[in-house]
Amino acid sequence: MHITVKYFGQIVEVTNTQEETIEVVGSHISDLVGVLNSKYDQLEKKDFQIAQNQELVSLETELIGLEIALLPPFAGG
């Protein structure tokens, strides 16, 4: 399955790109994160949330979206 992954904030500093297409073998968000952690070893040290089709999801969520975003912590005010 080909997934478009978008990166924001400090995650862009790790990946050196804002968007890429990743091939994932597996059916959960955790499978995608495993692929990304293998590709970007510094990613494991970063805190981020994951959105699938613009909704926040957990690692156990089934991978159904074609668009995933890795979102760094953000503050509101």
Side-chain angles (χ1 to χ4, degrees), residues 9-40:
Q10 64 183 345
I11 307 300
V12 173
E13 296 171 14
V14 172
T15 63
N16 291 316
T17 188
Q18 293 181 339
E19 182 177 315
E20 67 181 324
T21 301
I22 299 285
E23 183 165 346
V24 179
V25 177
S27 59
H28 292 90
I29 297 293
S30 60
D31 297 317
L32 172 63
V33 172
V35 170
L36 295 174
N37 284 338
S38 294
K39 186 172 182 177
Y40 305 109

Side-chain angles (χ1 to χ4, degrees), residues 9 13 16 31 33 43 45 47-48 51 54 57 60-61 65 72:
E13 296 171 14
N16 291 316
D31 297 317
V33 172
L43 191 60
K45 298 175 184 175
D47 187 29
F48 58 88
Q54 300 179 357
V57 295
E60 295 80 30
T61 301

Side-chain angles (χ1 to χ4, degrees), residues 35-73:
V35 170
L36 295 174
N37 284 338
S38 294
K39 186 172 182 177
Y40 305 109
D41 59 340
Q42 294 296 310
L43 191 60
E44 286 185 278
K45 298 175 184 175
K46 298 293 181 183
D47 187 29
F48 58 88
Q49 292 186 304
I50 302 166
Q52 176 172 244
N53 297 333
Q54 300 179 357
E55 264 186 50
L56 293 177
V57 295
S58 71
L59 293 175
E60 295 80 30
T61 301
E62 185 177 355
L63 189 57
I64 57 169
L66 298 177
E67 181 180 284
I68 300 292
L70 272 59
L71 307 169

